[in-house]
Amino acid sequence: MKPRDAGKLKRWAASSTRGDSRLMKNQPIETEAPVDSMIHKLVQGSYFHDAWSINAAEPSLDPLSQFLRVAKATPAWIDSAMKLRNRLVSLLGLKNLGGLSEIDSSKVATEYKPGDRVGIFTLIAKSETEILLGDSDKHLDVVVSLHHRQSRQSSQKIVTVTTVVKVHNWLGRIYMTPVRPAHRVIVQAMVRAIGNAA
């Protein structure tokens, strides 16, 4: 285990057992993929992974509803960044994913089935406590999990967003160079939105 991963695991354990001041203030906390999640087994051997947790502002929502609520309210700067990404990667023959906010507003969470498109992602799997969303292209595969669990200290529901990336070639590794820091900013903004009431 790398020292960085060991540090993350320690922070995850602390937030799981004692509570974390950032969770108490409802700020995203960097953590690990929940051990009882579907995505946990995908972390091993990945090129990149991260996980962020927050107390849900709307704890009654299931994981897919949490994603739909946040994606529909995606800030304009994130959609602008996606448009720029789509223009640049088209020069390399990669997919135009569209924008995060491009969600069918007439469709509710219960209507989605695995294989359905949900904004820029495809729904891979769905349970009461977790969804897996993903996309594949010739350069890499990405899977995103939204997992929720009851807090041990309170009535709060903790949502953890985990991203796992597996690269296929040199293009995937080059692609991840600018995407990694951009992802960190975007995912924290999206996770923060889960912790903010609509």
Side-chain angles (χ1 to χ4, degrees), residues 4-13 30-32 49-51:
R4 180 174 174 269
D5 293 338
K8 277 188 183 178
L9 190 57
K10 189 182 284 185
R11 287 192 299 276
W12 176 83
E30 190 168 17
T31 184
E32 283 293 318
H49 70 274
D50 69 353

Side-chain angles (χ1 to χ4, degrees), residues 9-30:
L9 190 57
K10 189 182 284 185
R11 287 192 299 276
W12 176 83
S15 68
S16 296
T17 56
R18 296 192 316 269
D20 184 278
S21 62
R22 284 172 291 178
L23 273 178
M24 300 292 272
K25 294 173 185 173
N26 227 23
Q27 292 297 312
I29 176 172
E30 190 168 17

Side-chain angles (χ1 to χ4, degrees), residues 118-170:
V118 188
I120 66 171
F121 297 113
T122 297
L123 180 61
I124 299 169
K126 176 167 100 166
S127 74
E128 289 183 9
T129 58
E130 184 180 13
I131 57 165
L132 293 183
L133 301 163
D135 194 70
S136 296
D137 207 344
K138 63 186 180 183
H139 63 312
L140 57 76
D141 296 332
V142 61
V143 179
V144 177
S145 159
L146 270 80
H147 174 278
H148 70 200
R149 67 173 172 83
Q150 195 67 41
S151 169
R152 294 177 185 171
Q153 287 79 36
S154 69
S155 59
Q156 293 283 350
K157 194 160 280 183
I158 299 170
V159 174
T160 302
V161 177
T162 306
T163 305
V164 172
V165 176
K166 298 202 173 184
V167 300
H168 302 312
N169 49 38
W170 62 270

Side-chain angles (χ1 to χ4, degrees), residues 89-95 137-138:
V89 301
S90 67
L91 302 173
L92 301 171
L94 301 180
K95 283 183 187 175
D137 207 344
K138 63 186 180 183

